[in-house]
Structure formats: structure tokens, C-alpha cells
Amino acid sequence: MNRRARTAALTAATALALSAVLAAPAVAAGPVAPSGHDATERAVRAAVADGVPGVTLTVRRGHGTWAATAGVGNVKSGQPRSARDHYRVASITKTFVATVVLQLEAEGRLSLDDTVEKWLPGAVQGNGHDGGRITIRQLLNHTSGIFDYLEDPGFQQTYMTADGFLKHRFDEAAPEDMLALAMKNRPYFEPGASFAYSNTNYLLAARVIEKATGNDYGDEIDRRIIAPLHLTSTSVPTTRVTLPRPSGRAYSKLARETTGPTYDVTELNPRLAYGSGQMVSSSADLTRFYSALLGGRLLPREQLKKMRTTVESSRETSRYGLGLVDRKLSCGIHVWGHDGGIYGSNSDAVTTGDGRHSLAVNFNGDWSGSTDAIIEAEFCGR
């Protein structure tokens, strides 16, 4: 799920209380990377001062890694966040899904120019949707025009209000149920005419993987990416509602208002997000993944070039490739990666174009703070 699933700011009183609870100093993890993370440390502490319960971050530069934590993983016990925390990575899942699709293309098992109808007959139809006019490429770069099921009023009432979430957080809705919600609504535009971020695109991309391989898309991610890269903290958890240890708690306002109660939303059924945002990982694993991807270890040169071929997105400072965002920072540096927001979790993972300098960060609250500021601090020094 993307940032539209999140809500706005923390109250001043809560922010003050949380910022007073141990903004932990930066800690080294593994071989120590070169110095120069002072601005990043300040940005991490500023996020906690702004109201984020806790932050965990890893930077990989060359063969060295550096990690930092601040704030708490549990607001009741005061337990600090850990550099090894597992968390829900939400839409960062999309890069994993796109990588598998491109691997399948490299193997000659599908083409990006194949239509959705070819692989998923009858799945995309109704209210102006036509899977026969939409390609796999258009799913991956969000130019399909397919309606985002997260925007459906029924979905929002059922899952994105406080009452709805608390009642339905463990629902085991099938991907077809989410797709049916999308098909009840009109498409945003004709296929290929524009860009509109839609989680439905990646639900469908995951289904294409399953049709092409005969396996669950999560099993393909595990076999093709997680196991070869030894991502020991990364998984596609199907219907498991708890997070692996170690992990902090996850907190949300479950409302658009800037005031009101804060809810512990750690336990939920991630299958609702499916290929658009189902995965769990850690900051160390995410830096390893993006470093390997941009460094050419997961895709042949031709497929990586296609992945990095971008279209205009909804943000002025970024463009969208195939499950991969090209973000231009204030200092002119380009970083590649993806962000992700789901109930109680706000994450960002980026790397330079050569894969040699990577960062992954997570907030365990979804209403405050800026991962953009942390990325700017690490790569631009401010």
C-alpha cells in the first residue's frame, strides 16, 4: 500500500513525550562505513522529535554498513528500537514483484508487451476496464489507468477507518475480492495515456507471476531473490498476522485528523495488500537487495535498463520505472528505490545508480516525520 493509506500529524503532547524517551545514539553494525553520517543522525533524531515513536535505519556504502536507531519500539514499555527490527515494507514489495517479472521476461517466459488478458483472461473488465488493451509493462509503471482498490469507498470504510480496521484487521479476503472492488469503478484514463499509482496493478502483476510459473508469487520471490541474496529477515508472510522477532510495535491514528487516540496496529493480515505491499523485511536486508539490484546481480543488463526506463510520476522530483523510482535530490544526486506505507509503518529504501551507497529507514508510526529529510541528509549532507 502507498502513502495514501497513511494519516496526518501527531499531537504536540504525544510528540513531546516520545521525543523525551531515549533518542538512542547511532550504533555500528558490521564493518564500519566511512564517517560522514552526522547529518543523517540529526535527521533521525528530528523525526522522533517530530512525533515518530521510533526509527531504525541502515546505510550500506561499499563493503561497510552503518546503522542508527532512535526513539522507542514500544511506547508502553519504553523498549528502544533495534537495528535488527523486522517491519512491514508495504509498497517496497513492488520492486521485488517487478524484479521477478523481469527475470521471467529474460527467461523468455513472458513479454512486457503481453496483455493482461493473455495471462489473466476476464480478470480486467467492466466499467471501462479492458485487459486486452493493457500490457504488463503498463501494470509495472502505473500507466494502465486501472482503478486503485484502496480508493474504493467501500474498502476505505471497511479497512481504513478506526472502527473498520479494528473489526476487519484479520480478514482473509482473496486478491479477487480486491480486484472486484477496483472493477466496480471507472479507470482513471485510457491505457498508456498518463500515470496514476494503483495498487491493483501489482495485485495483477503478482497474479501474472503465478500464471507464468504455477507457483505462489511469494514462493518465486523467495526462490529468486530472498534465498540467493541471503535476506534472512525478509519474507512474504501470507496470512501470518504477527511480525518476526526482533520487532517494535506499529502505531497509527487510523484517521485523517491531527489529534485523537493512537492505536497499536502491529497485528494484521497482510494478504489484503498482496503483491502491492505484503512483505516484511529489515533495513539491512533492504539495503542489500537494492544494492544487488542496481549493481546488476539480479537482472541482465537489458532488463535492468527496462526497469530504469521511467515515466513522469505524480511527484515533481521523481519519475517511475518498473517498480523502481528515480528520485532527484536537492543536491542533484539521483537515487533509485521505493517507499512504502501501511498501517503503523512508513519505510523508504534507496540506492545510488551503481548500487554502492544504499539506505533503508523505517518509522513505526504512520502519521509524522519525513523519510525524505533523512535521505537528503545521508546523500546530500544536509
Side-chain angles (χ1 to χ4, degrees):
M1 297 183 185
N2 70 2
R3 291 183 188 273
R4 288 175 289 190
R6 299 194 294 272
T7 54
L10 179 65
T11 62
T14 306
L16 180 61
L18 291 174
S19 63
V21 187
L22 278 182
V27 294
V32 180
S35 59
H37 302 289
D38 291 350
T40 308
E41 281 196 71
R42 290 193 298 270
V44 167
R45 293 174 185 272
V48 174
D50 192 40
V52 176
V55 182
T56 183
L57 169 147
T58 297
V59 172
R60 180 180 299 270
R61 190 184 296 174
H63 297 292
T65 59
W66 174 85
T69 63
V72 296
N74 188 314
V75 298
K76 290 185 177 179
S77 70
Q79 174 187 343
R81 291 218 66 178
S82 165
R84 298 175 56 244
D85 273 354
H86 297 77
Y87 50 83
R88 303 189 193 282
V89 303
S91 283
I92 291 172
T93 301
K94 292 179 173 68
T95 311
F96 287 82
V97 169
T99 300
V100 172
V101 171
L102 285 161
Q103 288 178 343
L104 291 171
E105 189 203 41
E107 295 163 10
R109 300 173 71 173
L110 57 77
S111 167
L112 294 183
D113 295 321
D114 288 343
T115 65
V116 176
E117 181 68 16
K118 175 180 178 177
W119 288 99
L120 305 171
V124 179
Q125 61 182 2
N127 287 312
H129 291 96
D130 181 359
R133 300 175 57 212
I134 297 168
T135 66
I136 294 174
R137 188 192 314 272
Q138 289 168 338
L139 295 180
L140 298 183
N141 67 11
H142 296 294
T143 61
S144 71
I146 295 175
F147 186 86
D148 186 352
Y149 69 86
L150 261 66
E151 297 293 330
D152 178 75
F155 182 93
Q156 292 189 349
Q157 182 65 34
T158 302
Y159 297 108
M160 298 176 71
T161 63
D163 289 344
F165 174 84
L166 295 174
K167 181 178 180 180
H168 295 283
R169 67 197 297 176
F170 302 125
D171 282 6
E172 295 189 12
E176 287 73 19
D177 297 329
M178 303 299 102
L179 181 59
L181 290 177
M183 294 300 103
K184 285 170 53 180
N185 298 271
R186 297 284 301 175
Y188 296 125
F189 46 76
E190 291 292 307
S194 187
F195 172 94
Y197 192 96
S198 174
N199 290 281
T200 312
N201 287 325
Y202 276 78
L203 181 158
L204 290 163
R207 279 308 208 199
V208 169
I209 291 171
E210 292 170 345
K211 276 298 188 76
T213 65
N215 300 317
D216 187 274
Y217 87 94
D219 292 339
E220 289 296 314
I221 288 175
D222 186 70
R223 182 174 72 84
R224 293 168 174 271
I225 301 174
I226 294 174
L229 294 182
H230 305 290
L231 305 180
T232 57
S233 297
T234 303
S235 63
V236 186
T238 62
T239 58
R240 174 177 174 166
V241 302
T242 57
L243 287 170
R245 295 182 179 179
S247 63
R249 307 301 294 175
Y251 300 98
S252 179
K253 291 293 183 183
L254 294 175
R256 297 184 184 278
E257 290 78 14
T258 59
T259 60
T262 300
Y263 298 90
D264 186 323
V265 296
T266 312
E267 284 80 30
L268 57 86
N269 187 339
R271 198 69 169 176
L272 285 172
Y274 207 62
S276 70
Q278 192 172 349
M279 293 180 67
V280 167
S281 191
S282 68
S283 295
D285 272 11
L286 289 178
T287 59
R288 188 177 300 120
F289 166 61
Y290 280 102
S291 291
L293 177 62
L294 272 296
R297 293 173 54 194
L298 291 173
L299 292 174
R301 182 176 300 177
E302 179 183 353
Q303 275 66 42
L304 185 57
K305 181 180 179 181
K306 290 179 180 181
M307 192 178 218
R308 293 178 56 159
T309 300
T310 60
V311 296
E312 290 186 9
S313 75
S314 55
R315 302 180 192 174
E316 291 184 4
T317 57
S318 66
R319 294 176 60 88
Y320 205 96
L322 304 183
L324 194 65
V325 178
D326 173 16
R327 189 183 314 185
K328 183 179 180 180
L329 304 182
S330 63
C331 55
I333 290 175
H334 285 253
V335 290
W336 297 81
H338 214 290
D339 63 340
I342 195 169
Y343 310 101
S345 182
N346 181 6
S347 308
D348 223 325
V350 296
T351 188
T352 50
D354 57 8
R356 295 179 181 177
H357 186 181
S358 306
L359 174 151
V361 58
N362 172 260
F363 298 165
N364 63 340
D366 60 19
W367 63 84
S368 187
S370 171
T371 56
D372 288 343
I374 292 173
I375 293 168
E376 285 277 344
E378 175 62 29
F379 292 92
C380 296
R382 57 176 183 267

